């Protein structure tokens, strides 16, 4: 039986697991401070900004509910691929949706669902 050190396991997981997680978290943390400012330039008041930003948390909550069954049904690798494709679809759809409040309110829950499935996967 061959034994692996902790360093070997971390090195094996660095590219397929840790790099995508770091990239998604970096993108989320970059967009988080600028999104309220962007919404203010669209003419949103404080309540509307809070509502739009709360949609991402609602999407994460709704995405977390079926994520475990998806993980059992598809397996870990396929779940991560599906979730990464959903995040990519979210980013692509942001480019084509009008920059209004309604578009962001509809897309942020989708991003939350995709992100939570990616993290669970």
């Amino acid at each position: 039986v061959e034994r692996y050190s902790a360093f070997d396991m971390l090195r094996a997981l660095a590219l397929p697991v840790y790099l995508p997680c770091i990239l998604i978290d970096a993108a989320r943390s970059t967009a988080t401070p600028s999104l309220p400012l962007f919404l203010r330039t669209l003419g949103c008041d404080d309540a509307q900004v809070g509502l739009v930003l709360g949609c991402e948390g609602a999407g994460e909550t709704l995405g977390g509910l079926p994520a475990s069954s998806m993980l059992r049904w598809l397996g870990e690798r396929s779940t991560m691929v599906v979730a990464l494709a959903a995040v990519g679809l979210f980013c692509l759809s942001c480019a084509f949706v009008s920059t209004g409040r309604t578009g962001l309110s509809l897309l942020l829950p989708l991003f939350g669902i995709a992100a939570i499935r990616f993290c669970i996967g």
Side-chain angles (χ1 to χ4, degrees):
V1 175
E2 191 174 332
R3 293 193 179 254
Y4 294 102
S5 68
F7 180 73
D8 290 335
M9 289 175 30
L10 286 175
R11 192 173 61 203
L13 293 174
L15 190 62
V17 176
Y18 295 125
L19 182 65
C21 286
I22 288 171
L23 291 176
I24 286 177
D25 286 341
R28 287 178 77 181
S29 63
T30 303
T32 299
S34 61
L35 192 56
L37 298 173
F38 175 70
L39 290 171
R40 293 294 290 189
T41 61
L42 291 176
C44 295
D45 60 0
D46 292 338
Q48 291 171 332
V49 170
L51 180 68
V52 170
L53 294 178
C55 287
E56 183 179 0
E60 287 180 1
T61 302
L62 293 174
L65 296 173
S68 62
S69 62
M70 183 178 176
L71 185 63
R72 271 182 296 185
W73 184 54
L74 291 177
E76 291 180 13
R77 184 175 180 92
S78 298
T79 302
M80 286 185 73
V81 168
V82 167
L84 194 57
V87 170
L89 183 65
F90 163 77
C91 293
L92 186 65
S93 61
C94 280
F96 294 111
V97 168
S98 67
T99 57
R101 297 178 287 243
T102 307
L104 286 172
S105 297
L106 294 174
L107 287 176
L108 280 176
L110 295 176
F111 180 70
I113 290 170
I116 196 68
R117 286 194 178 166
F118 181 78
C119 292
I120 288 176

